[in-house]
Amino acid sequence: MPPRTPLILATALLALAGCQGVSLEPTDQPTTGSTRSTQDIKASQKQLDTLTVAKAGTMAKYSRDRFPHWRSTGDNCDVRDTVLKRDGKKVKYSGCNVVAGTWNSLYDGQVLNSPTKVDIDHMVPLANAWRSGAAKWTDAKRGDFANDLDDPQLIAVSASSNRSKGDQDPSTWKPTETSSWCEYAQDWVTVKAKWKLTVTTKEKAALEDMLENC
């Protein structure tokens, strides 16, 4: 009789797969942790190509006060509270204010267990927006941009990563959590496209690189 060892081994592997959900088939899932589909990535690449490439504008007359935020959302709530509620888990409130919960910081992977450790970051920083077209807007439109809850413009992240980022674009700053690069690049492109803001040559190159490596 032929040796039964290969048959026994195969049977054992199949049993293991059935019990533990182990797949014996190869997978093409990305290793970066991104859940974005190939179709999403290609759409972002096409969207990036529609953005106008231009030199960064001047910071003359810039002030964060020209981007009024955080707007009230009623009952002593504001946009910051809204983002904390949206991005957090097991969030607890005192009236409308968020007083507890946990937040996963996209930029550095930190798990934050207090709202005092959380910053609400503008995906495209206000100063970057000013340099790429917002200087020509009215203060009302800049306020709409600074409080944009419809697009991936506002995100709860660690205070330390937000301060590290400052007003830099992807050519000079990227999340230390490299598995977030795909999402970061896509969200940056989405916001710039929605608000018809320009990108610099280096900024576009950095975004292309992150999207191509998703």
Side-chain angles (χ1 to χ4, degrees):
M1 292 180 63
R4 298 182 61 191
T5 301
L7 177 59
I8 293 172
L9 179 59
T11 302
L13 287 172
L14 288 172
L16 180 63
C19 293
Q20 299 183 0
V22 176
S23 173
L24 300 180
E25 297 296 326
T27 177
D28 293 325
Q29 292 298 317
T31 58
T32 61
S34 172
T35 58
R36 305 299 175 99
S37 70
T38 300
Q39 185 175 2
D40 289 338
I41 303 303
K42 289 183 178 179
S44 294
Q45 290 171 331
K46 289 182 179 180
Q47 195 172 42
L48 176 58
D49 288 336
T50 69
L51 300 181
T52 299
V53 177
K55 292 182 178 180
T58 176
M59 288 294 289
K61 299 183 179 180
Y62 167 77
S63 168
R64 286 181 65 86
D65 292 339
R66 304 296 300 275
F67 294 81
H69 63 288
W70 304 106
R71 282 179 179 167
S72 170
T73 55
D75 297 326
N76 198 35
C77 301
D78 61 22
V79 168
R80 174 183 165 79
D81 295 316
T82 301
V83 178
L84 285 171
K85 294 174 185 177
R86 183 197 67 195
D87 292 357
K89 297 178 181 178
K90 298 181 178 179
V91 175
K92 296 181 180 180
Y93 319 98
S94 174
C96 200
N97 298 317
V98 175
V99 296
T102 58
W103 292 263
N104 293 317
S105 175
L106 177 74
Y107 294 165
D108 53 13
Q110 288 191 53
V111 177
L112 311 167
N113 58 14
S114 169
T116 61
K117 299 178 181 179
V118 180
D119 272 5
I120 305 304
D121 180 51
H122 291 94
M123 174 62 62
V124 174
L126 305 182
N128 181 280
W130 181 272
R131 295 191 296 268
S132 55
K136 299 178 181 178
W137 298 348
T138 63
D139 283 358
K141 184 173 180 179
R142 284 187 281 264
D144 291 341
F145 175 80
N147 295 278
D148 182 8
L149 290 168
D150 297 325
D151 303 290
Q153 167 63 346
L154 297 173
I155 180 173
V157 297
S158 69
S160 57
S161 66
N162 186 35
R163 312 295 162 78
S164 171
K165 176 185 174 186
D167 67 349
Q168 300 179 81
D169 68 50
S171 69
T172 55
W173 187 91
K174 297 179 180 66
T176 56
E177 185 72 13
T178 57
S179 64
S180 299
W181 284 9
C182 284
E183 184 174 351
Y184 181 68
Q186 283 188 285
D187 290 350
W188 185 282
V189 170
T190 296
V191 173
K192 285 240 163 169
K194 163 68 180 296
W195 291 92
K196 295 181 172 57
L197 296 169
T198 62
V199 291
T200 65
T201 300
K202 290 182 178 179
E203 178 184 350
K204 183 177 181 180
L207 290 165
E208 286 174 337
D209 183 63
M210 282 192 285
L211 290 173
E212 287 173 358
N213 286 281
C214 285

